[in-house]
Amino acid sequence: MKISELPVDGRIKKVILERGIEELYPPQAEALKSGVLEGKNLVLAIPTASGKTLVSEIVMLNKLLKEGGKAVYLVPLKALAEEKYREFKEWERLGIRVAATTGDYDSTDEWLGKYDIIVATAEKFDSLLRHGARWIDKVKLVVADEVHLLGSYDRGATLEMILTHLMDKAQILALSATVGNAEELAEWLNAELIVSDWRPVELRKGIFHLGTLFWEDGKIDRYPENWYSLVVDAVKRGKGALVFVNTRRSAEKEAIALSKLVSGYLTKPEKRALENLASQLERNPTSEKLKKALKGGVAFHHAGLSRVERTLIEDAFREGLVKVITATPTLSAGLNLPAFRVVIRDTKRYSNFGWVDIPVLEIQQMMGRAGRPKYDKVGEAIIVARTENPKKLMERYVHGKPEKLFSMLANEQAFRSQVLALITNFGVRNFQELVNFLSKTFYAHQRGDTLSLEYKAKDIVYFLIENEFIDIDLENNFIPLPLGKRTSHLYIDPLTAKKFKDAFPKLEKNPNPFGIFQLIAATPDMATLTVRRGEMEDYLDLAYELEEKLYTGIPYYEDSRFQGFLSQVKTAKVLLDWINEVPEVRIYETYNVDPGDLYRILELADWLMYSLIELYKLFEPKGDVLQYLRDLHLRLRHGVREELLELVKLPNIGRKRARALYNAGFRNVEAILTAKPRDLLQVEGIGLKILEDIYKHLGVEHTLEVKEKPKKKGNLYDYLK
DNA sequence: GCTCCGTAAATCTAGACAGCATGTC
DNA sequence: CTAGATTTACGGAGC
């Protein structure tokens, strides 16, 4: 089907034609003929990179230009929100306003009211629904990207609830990977279903076993015995490869091993560019390894990397400078990062229950990364059989059908939070109304009834009443209480709120960072660091040493909570070091954490610290305690000791610059105001731009005496031209 | 009695959403 | 039933 034949507004077609797209792919055409342009719901289950985005763009624009209102595009990752936002930005040419919102930025509900397309993570949108922003009524279309995440244990329930909330109010376009029961999903959503495995780039799948590559069509290629040869071969042919492994350590090890084999195929300018790239990295144990790999044109990619490092690698791979990436599942879903050849080294993964097979769905998503639409005629995805039987792998992952999607609504933690939200934010007034709502979920559709779900809901309701999140009157009507409403708005687990609440009496008597951080680390919303065998005693000792600072008892060794407690102590200790200005690199080394891990811990602690304060405000807070908590929150956010709090409130002044200023004798705002700019500029990290911003922030007209003779290199003049 | 070295046993293991108010080095 | 890289523990050799 030609773009020009599309039954949509000519302006839409014009923009698409200008992208150089004249013809729709078959599944795209089929999707657009399904009635989705006339407002019908649609489940579109087609491979990644076969044009789901274009379909959703056409559907969104058609809807917006015809009916007005808003379209919401739901994604599972913040990085993906960013990516889609940039793509959709193009439609601003037609006067369509596009916004992205995640937990990171742009949170005010009403601010979003000005936009037509809103890209959001599922959780963020759930939160917006709870806050009841006025523009929600104007949402006419919801596009749910990667809707198979409905089956994810910890995050599936959110998506299921959003869709349940909106399925009668807005049109739904659900984009899914191929799953075992797409029909069931479509039935639930009262949607048309389109399933296709058509891809713009042909995908060849194969199994590699001891030097023999068995393609799915029966053809056979011979290689040297080690699977490294598959990667080297791709590079030799001027292409790239993506290697999937199951641990961070493996990713790092294989990257360094492969870099030695690949480096011989790099040109001189490439080597120089890679050197240059490596020199941009900061100095820490993880990036030292990364540098080593990068010099040979290979990089590893996992959640331990900092954001900067991750994007650096992704961009370099897209440019073709980095030839090979070895990755944990960070790259299996989401970001658009295709490669000619995908090599899957592992099909098992360690979980809480031991070694488990990686789901077919996930392996197929990895395989789907093979083949770059603009460069390759085919993409190759190869699974390495090392210990597994190659025939079995072929059956399971190449010819096999992906798993069915199962509702995860009954997951205790997720469900608890959702039941609370239904009562405090979505007007559910009694148990019968709760059951009515639950009967509309995918869970109910799939199981045929909600009996066991009701049983769980009842327990949760008791828990909520008992802990004063809600109340119940004589006619058995629910009454939302302040604690419940605030908890739901803060988007924290009610169990987290309960733990905070229970700790307040002790906390009030003895507010201290260690106790508070352990408390935060003990909530189900926090991620904790694992304590290795050899460290256990250290953290137990630390706990006993600081026992009187804790708001909880120290569990015995036999206690099932013992292991978790030690993790909490370790996490609290890291946070303690952070606010005591221990340099990041030392934290990485001491606690064996990667930059990405530290970032994550800090991000979560920041959010939970804020939530703790907000909840404390509900319980007749003492002024001095509240102030103490606020200061601690600020220290946590910036990673500083108390004495730097004043400085760190200045724009662009973080833990390093604040410390530099303080040590140079500028200990507060007053000192900065009275100081000569010249002296301030001597401080490490303080330049003209920074200083200008500080003065602006303080509302001071301080003519920077830039005309005075330049100190050293004359760069002050350069700055001003 | 101490250190060094090689081997066996033990250890450890992926990822990442949410609030709020604006900017790290 | 199914892992594999790396660290730690241990025991023997050499001084």
Side-chain angles (χ1 to χ4, degrees):
Chain A
M1 187 185 193
K2 295 231 185 292
I3 292 291
S4 54
E5 297 163 7
L6 264 179
V8 298
D9 194 302
R11 289 173 289 171
I12 304 176
K13 292 193 263 193
K14 189 162 170 272
V15 172
I16 296 171
L17 286 167
E18 278 172 22
R19 281 187 198 170
I21 300 173
E22 295 191 354
E23 178 115 28
L24 288 171
Y25 296 146
Q28 290 176 328
E30 210 188 324
L32 292 170
K33 281 188 276 188
S34 70
V36 72
L37 290 174
E38 287 76 49
K40 277 195 188 163
N41 291 349
L42 173 66
V43 171
L44 185 55
I46 60 177
T48 347
S50 58
K52 279 183 240 188
T53 309
L54 183 63
V55 172
S56 61
E57 284 179 293
I58 294 171
V59 173
M60 285 194 292
L61 265 295
N62 174 62
K63 191 90 175 177
L64 293 174
L65 292 182
K66 261 202 323 221
E67 301 176 31
K70 293 180 190 304
V72 171
Y73 193 99
L74 299 176
V75 292
L77 301 171
K78 290 186 207 171
L80 221 46
E82 185 75 25
E83 191 179 271
K84 293 297 168 195
Y85 170 70
R86 276 200 299 269
E87 282 179 61
F88 298 159
K89 205 83 167 121
E90 192 183 1
W91 298 102
E92 295 199 332
R93 292 166 58 189
L94 303 187
I96 296 293
R97 291 150 301 182
V98 185
T101 176
T102 70
D104 279 352
Y105 52 95
D106 293 340
S107 62
T108 42
D109 325 351
E110 298 309 328
W111 172 89
L112 288 166
K114 295 186 297 195
Y115 294 85
D116 306 302
I117 294 178
I118 295 161
V119 185
T121 51
E123 286 76 7
K124 180 65 194 190
F125 187 64
D126 188 23
S127 168
L128 288 166
L129 286 176
R130 291 185 189 187
H131 280 84
R134 267 171 296 170
W135 55 266
I136 296 286
D137 289 340
K138 295 188 189 145
V139 175
K140 297 247 170 82
L141 171 70
V142 177
V143 183
D145 200 358
E146 315 271 353
V147 82
H148 52 270
L149 280 162
L150 205 71
S152 132
Y153 178 76
D154 43 325
R155 298 181 59 197
T158 313
L159 203 49
E160 182 170 343
M161 291 298 275
I162 293 173
L163 293 174
T164 309
H165 278 300
L166 291 171
M167 57 197 224
D168 301 326
K169 297 176 185 140
Q171 183 186 0
I172 287 168
L173 171 54
L175 311 174
S176 173
T178 320
V179 293
N181 57 342
E183 308 76 22
E184 206 171 13
L185 187 64
E187 270 170 35
W188 172 56
L189 290 170
N190 188 23
E192 298 293 312
L193 171 65
I194 292 186
V195 181
S196 161
D197 56 5
W198 189 92
R199 289 171 37 109
V201 183
E202 189 199 333
L203 177 61
R204 288 185 85 200
K205 299 175 194 167
I207 308 288
F208 182 82
H209 182 62
L210 298 173
T212 311
L213 177 47
F214 302 93
W215 292 108
E216 56 182 321
D217 58 12
K219 290 194 182 125
I220 283 176
D221 282 338
R222 303 276 176 197
Y223 280 89
E225 191 174 315
N226 192 307
W227 64 268
Y228 287 162
S229 57
L230 294 172
V231 176
V232 176
D233 174 64
V235 176
K236 210 187 284 180
R237 288 154 63 184
K239 315 249 187 182
L242 211 48
V243 180
F244 286 105
V245 296
N246 64 2
T247 64
R248 289 184 188 183
R249 204 141 64 173
S250 295
E252 294 175 2
K253 181 206 139 209
E254 302 295 22
I256 289 168
L258 283 165
S259 110
K260 286 174 190 148
L261 303 174
V262 165
S263 79
Y265 299 97
L266 299 171
T267 64
K268 280 242 168 76
E270 280 177 333
K271 282 194 173 170
R272 260 200 305 276
L274 285 163
E275 284 280 346
N276 181 36
L277 200 66
S279 69
Q280 288 176 38
L281 300 175
E282 35 175 306
R283 281 216 179 80
N284 62 53
T286 312
S287 47
E288 291 310 320
K289 285 178 244 169
L290 189 53
K291 280 177 203 171
K292 217 165 148 188
L294 271 178
K295 284 177 186 165
V298 183
F300 54 85
H301 192 286
H302 59 59
L305 296 177
S306 68
R307 300 270 157 124
V308 182
E309 285 166 340
R310 272 209 231 185
T311 34
L312 195 89
I313 291 164
E314 289 157 13
D315 292 345
F317 186 73
R318 275 193 203 100
E319 282 170 31
L321 186 55
V322 164
K323 310 291 174 194
V324 180
I325 291 185
T326 59
T328 57
T330 30
L331 284 184
S332 67
L335 281 182
N336 181 21
L337 203 76
F340 164 67
R341 186 173 271 180
V342 166
V343 177
I344 297 168
R345 196 200 70 171
D346 303 313
T347 54
K348 285 177 187 298
R349 166 192 303 156
Y350 189 84
S351 79
N352 296 334
F353 322 104
W355 286 91
V356 295
D357 283 324
I358 296 174
V360 177
L361 180 72
E362 238 178 279
I363 294 283
Q364 291 192 342
Q365 287 221 298
M366 294 179 196
M367 295 198 284
R369 316 250 71 158
R372 295 162 304 167
K374 281 177 191 150
Y375 307 96
D376 305 320
K377 279 206 201 93
V378 291
E380 300 179 345
I382 303 158
I383 300 175
V384 180
R386 295 190 300 167
T387 53
E388 295 288 297
N389 180 333
K391 261 189 209 145
K392 266 192 188 160
L393 289 175
M394 181 73 89
E395 242 166 71
R396 178 169 163 79
Y397 292 114
V398 177
H399 299 305
K401 208 176 160 189
E403 293 78 8
K404 285 186 178 177
L405 239 44
F406 282 104
S407 167
M408 289 295 155
L409 193 57
N411 165 13
E412 180 90 16
Q413 187 181 348
F415 194 45
R416 187 164 52 217
S417 186
Q418 294 295 345
V419 168
L420 174 65
L422 284 171
I423 297 170
T424 59
N425 304 100
F426 297 112
V428 166
R429 285 173 300 185
N430 53 50
F431 201 77
Q432 188 51 49
E433 286 188 17
L434 184 58
V435 172
N436 287 349
F437 185 89
L438 295 178
S439 70
K440 295 193 291 182
T441 59
F442 184 55
Y443 182 102
H445 178 81
Q446 190 164 44
R447 307 280 189 106
D449 68 73
T450 54
L451 282 180
S452 62
L453 200 59
E454 286 172 38
Y455 194 73
K456 279 197 175 176
K458 208 160 251 171
D459 278 351
I460 289 170
V461 167
Y462 289 146
F463 168 85
L464 295 174
I465 294 170
E466 200 172 322
N467 291 289
E468 298 175 324
F469 289 94
I470 60 171
D471 206 347
I472 192 158
D473 70 13
L474 293 173
E475 277 105 48
N476 286 329
N477 288 313
F478 298 144
I479 306 163
L481 296 178
L483 175 64
K485 283 191 217 164
R486 201 72 195 98
T487 299
S488 183
H489 274 170
L490 290 165
Y491 215 82
I492 55 175
D493 186 331
L495 200 56
T496 295
K498 174 185 156 54
K499 283 189 185 253
F500 285 166
K501 184 185 127 185
D502 291 348
F504 285 150
K506 282 187 185 165
L507 188 153
E508 217 168 31
K509 280 185 218 131
N510 178 22
N512 75 86
F514 185 68
I516 291 169
F517 293 159
Q518 189 275 333
L519 172 64
I520 285 176
T523 66
D525 283 310
M526 184 69 184
T528 54
L529 302 165
T530 49
V531 173
R532 309 162 107 212
R533 201 75 164 197
E535 298 175 317
M536 291 175 72
E537 214 162 324
D538 301 343
Y539 294 111
L540 192 59
D541 288 350
L542 182 71
Y544 276 116
E545 190 187 318
L546 300 175
E547 191 172 9
E548 81 284 1
K549 294 191 182 297
L550 290 168
Y551 310 129
T552 173
I554 299 174
Y556 294 110
Y557 182 80
E558 302 76 27
D559 197 315
S560 60
R561 292 166 304 176
F562 184 75
Q563 196 58 248
F565 174 77
L566 291 186
S567 295
Q568 293 153 21
V569 171
K570 178 173 179 180
T571 309
K573 181 64 167 59
V574 167
L575 293 172
L576 214 51
D577 277 10
W578 170 250
I579 63 165
N580 283 319
E581 296 179 50
V582 174
E584 279 98 317
V585 176
R586 230 177 75 205
I587 296 182
Y588 304 147
E589 287 165 356
T590 313
Y591 302 99
N592 189 34
V593 296
D594 287 333
D597 301 320
L598 179 63
Y599 178 86
R600 176 150 178 70
I601 294 289
L602 293 174
E603 189 188 34
L604 285 165
D606 184 20
W607 164 46
L608 291 167
M609 186 74 212
Y610 174 82
S611 302
L612 182 144
I613 294 170
E614 288 300 299
L615 292 185
Y616 179 60
K617 285 195 207 160
L618 301 177
F619 295 92
E620 297 169 8
K622 286 190 192 160
D624 54 334
V625 175
L626 196 56
Q627 192 52 45
Y628 180 87
L629 293 174
R630 283 182 171 141
D631 283 350
L632 186 59
H633 184 207
L634 216 55
R635 288 182 62 193
L636 186 60
R637 174 162 294 182
H638 295 287
V640 293
R641 290 168 189 264
E642 214 168 344
E643 67 223 37
L644 298 187
L645 277 179
E646 192 174 335
L647 294 176
V648 109
K649 284 174 186 158
L650 296 168
N652 294 311
I653 303 297
R655 67 192 317 226
K656 294 199 176 153
R657 285 175 182 147
R659 178 49 65 191
L661 281 167
Y662 189 92
N663 288 350
F666 310 105
R667 302 191 166 184
N668 50 39
V669 172
E670 181 61 30
I672 287 174
L673 283 171
T674 54
K676 288 193 184 118
R678 206 185 350 180
D679 295 335
L680 288 169
L681 288 168
Q682 293 294 313
V683 178
E684 179 144 13
I686 305 292
L688 207 53
K689 182 79 184 68
I690 301 279
L691 196 53
E692 268 176 359
D693 286 352
I694 291 176
Y695 285 139
K696 207 194 282 172
H697 175 82
L698 295 172
V700 193
E701 278 297 320
H702 214 305
T703 35
L704 289 179
E705 294 153 20
V706 287
K707 296 233 169 66
E708 85 184 39
K709 56 185 170 196
K711 277 271 163 201
K712 285 171 201 158
K713 302 171 201 156
N715 49 0
L716 288 187
Y717 281 117
D718 294 344
Y719 241 110
L720 297 176
K721 290 264 153 62

